[in-house]
Amino acid sequence: MADGNILNGGLEDCRQLRSDVSELYASRTKSADAKVSATQTEKAIKAKEKAINDEISAATKRRVDEISKSYDEEIAKLKSKSRKVKSNKGKTKRKEVALRIRRETADEREKERQLKLEIRSVYKRESVSAIFNTKLFYALFMPNRLSDVPVLLLALIVAFLVLPGAVYYLVFPENWQTTLGLMLLYFAFVVIYILLYVLILHITKGLHKETFVQIKGLRSDIRQNRREMARIARRIRKDKDESEYNLDRFDDEMKDISADINHILEEKKEALTEFEKSAKQMLADGIREKYEEELNGMKDYLSSTLEEQKTAEERAKELSLLITKNYEPYLGKENLSLDIIDRLEARLESGAAKTVAEALRQIQEVPVAETAESTKQ
């Protein structure tokens, strides 16, 4: 192909054409395959690096947790000890406060004892039964305080609900458990209550009126004395001065425990800081070193694949320009497929054509001959 026109060339020129076109297709395929492989390798490298970083993060967290756990366990022991000391202090203080209340209310307690003895003496002197010396009696027959109201209500509930109900359901035969029977039962209870109430009023406000008035005054003195004891107890409990309770030993022990906790917290802080400064990096380097060979191999493969893609792409570009320059102007782009080139080469090899132009013309005439043959038929 001395004149540069492929149409004037022979079998060798056709084979060179085939070689160039085949190499172009192969270079394009190789470039595309290398690009796919490079993309997959890049994803694999990123996944591997993420896995390494995740392993480093997990190992770092585990190591920090291990360091913290050791110190936290010691701190927990000290806090538990501190709570026990505080609890013991509270128990001791309550005990000392109770003793102080007893000491400072000794006169009032003695006064109450004397008042109770005087009440019993009056009952005995006036020959009044001790059953009238109860809270229930004074709530029912001589109420004068708000606290008597609940006692009175409870007594009414028992008298008019519990007792009649118990008798009705537990004592009455079934044939007596009728509406009429219940009404008669309530009527009987009301009559009994009225009689008892009148009888007790007669005893207390009739025969022994002055006695009960005197006892009522003594009971009032007892209540006043108890209010004074309660006032003293409240004052003692509210007193913030703990010096007389000998609680300094508990405070000193809690201060020592608090100091130990602060010391351990400082040690924990220093240990974690030291880990962050040096050990953390060493831990990360060790993990990365474990995967270094594998990761470097993947990166080397990626580098060689990219280089291979670049080379194939440049070769494809070079061949594309060569074919465009040397073959396409003479054969036309539509005749540069491997199928047509193979048919050209076959005619040149068989001797049916001497030049590429003749072979191309014969190939182009075949469809025309086939169409004419079909028309004759």
Side-chain angles (χ1 to χ4, degrees):
M1 198 177 67
D3 58 359
N5 188 341
I6 186 62
L7 293 174
N8 297 327
L11 179 59
E12 290 301 320
D13 295 318
C14 186
R15 286 176 176 172
Q16 182 61 47
L17 169 62
R18 189 184 190 285
S19 175
D20 291 340
V21 173
S22 296
E23 187 178 355
L24 173 62
Y25 291 157
S27 296
R28 286 175 175 173
T29 302
K30 188 174 183 181
S31 176
D33 292 344
K35 185 177 181 180
V36 172
S37 180
T39 301
Q40 293 175 344
T41 305
E42 284 177 345
K43 290 181 179 179
I45 290 172
K46 288 180 180 178
K48 192 64 179 179
E49 288 176 340
K50 183 180 183 302
I52 293 171
N53 290 331
D54 289 344
E55 184 174 342
I56 290 172
S57 297
T60 301
K61 184 180 183 302
R62 184 168 58 251
R63 189 68 57 83
V64 169
D65 290 343
E66 289 171 355
I67 294 172
S68 298
K69 184 180 178 182
S70 300
Y71 289 102
D72 290 344
E73 286 177 351
E74 293 301 319
I75 291 173
K77 291 177 183 177
L78 289 173
K79 286 183 177 180
S80 177
K81 184 178 179 181
S82 178
R83 286 193 295 270
K84 288 180 181 178
V85 173
K86 187 175 182 180
S87 176
N88 291 335
K89 177 186 176 181
K91 290 178 182 177
T92 303
K93 181 179 178 180
R94 287 192 293 273
K95 184 178 179 181
E96 292 295 327
V97 167
L99 291 174
R100 180 183 171 187
I101 291 173
R102 287 189 62 82
R103 287 196 306 269
E104 296 190 17
T105 58
D107 293 341
E108 284 73 15
R109 286 186 288 107
E110 177 60 25
K111 182 179 178 180
E112 180 174 338
R113 190 180 72 83
Q114 293 296 331
L115 289 170
K116 288 180 178 180
L117 287 174
E118 187 175 351
I119 290 173
R120 283 198 292 270
S121 175
V122 171
Y123 272 99
K124 187 175 181 181
R125 185 178 67 245
E126 299 296 331
S127 300
V128 178
S129 175
I131 63 173
F132 298 115
N133 187 25
T134 61
K135 185 176 181 64
L136 177 62
F137 169 75
Y138 281 95
L140 291 175
F141 295 93
M142 296 181 180
N144 63 350
R145 293 183 303 158
L146 190 61
S147 61
D148 291 332
V149 175
V151 178
L152 181 60
L153 291 176
L154 181 62
L156 292 174
I157 290 172
V158 172
F160 289 100
L161 288 178
V162 178
L163 290 179
V167 172
Y168 182 76
Y169 288 105
L170 300 178
V171 178
F172 271 24
E174 288 188 7
N175 58 337
W176 286 20
Q177 293 181 4
T178 62
T179 303
L180 179 62
L182 182 61
M183 292 174 62
L184 292 173
L185 176 65
Y186 265 97
F187 179 77
F189 268 96
V190 169
V191 171
I192 292 171
Y193 291 150
I194 291 174
L195 292 176
L196 285 175
Y197 197 80
V198 171
L199 177 63
I200 293 172
L201 281 178
H202 175 68
I203 295 172
T204 57
K205 294 188 177 181
L207 300 177
H208 300 285
K209 181 178 180 180
E210 296 298 328
T211 300
F212 281 99
V213 170
Q214 181 184 359
I215 292 172
K216 186 176 181 181
L218 293 173
R219 290 174 64 87
S220 178
D221 291 341
I222 290 175
R223 289 194 298 272
Q224 181 63 33
N225 188 64
R226 287 179 177 176
R227 283 195 289 270
E228 177 61 20
M229 285 193 291
R231 186 190 66 78
I232 294 172
R234 285 195 301 271
R235 174 179 58 78
I236 293 173
R237 292 190 181 97
K238 291 180 179 180
D239 188 3
K240 302 298 182 181
D241 184 10
E242 300 179 347
S243 58
E244 64 177 285
Y245 300 138
N246 192 27
L247 301 175
D248 292 343
R249 65 186 188 278
F250 297 107
D251 293 333
D252 293 340
E253 189 172 357
M254 284 192 289
K255 287 179 182 178
D256 292 340
I257 293 173
S258 180
D260 291 341
I261 290 175
N262 290 333
H263 178 68
I264 292 175
L265 286 173
E266 284 297 321
E267 288 187 348
K268 176 184 176 182
K269 183 178 178 181
E270 291 175 3
L272 291 175
T273 301
E274 182 63 25
F275 174 76
E276 286 290 332
K277 286 182 178 179
S278 58
K280 180 179 178 180
Q281 188 59 46
M282 292 174 60
L283 178 64
D285 291 343
I287 293 174
R288 287 195 177 95
E289 185 179 353
K290 183 170 63 173
Y291 298 102
E292 184 177 8
E293 184 177 352
E294 180 184 356
L295 192 58
N296 287 339
M298 295 170 69
K299 290 180 178 180
D300 290 342
Y301 177 75
L302 174 61
S303 179
S304 64
T305 302
L306 290 173
E307 184 63 30
E308 183 180 339
Q309 180 197 358
K310 181 180 178 182
T311 302
E313 190 174 351
E314 290 177 351
R315 180 58 178 162
K317 183 178 180 181
E318 179 183 337
L319 289 168
S320 179
L321 291 173
L322 184 146
I323 291 170
T324 300
K325 178 182 177 182
N326 296 337
Y327 303 120
E328 191 173 319
Y330 305 103
L331 292 174
K333 192 171 184 177
E334 69 279 4
N335 293 319
L336 291 176
S337 66
L338 288 176
D339 179 54
I340 291 177
I341 294 172
D342 287 341
R343 291 166 67 186
L344 292 173
E345 187 178 350
R347 290 186 177 277
L348 290 169
E349 283 180 345
S350 66
K354 299 297 183 180
T355 64
V356 173
E358 292 179 12
L360 179 61
R361 188 169 53 254
Q362 292 174 9
I363 291 173
Q364 291 173 341
E365 290 175 352
V366 169
V368 176
E370 291 176 351
T371 301
E373 186 66 27
S374 298
T375 304
K376 289 179 181 180
Q377 293 176 358

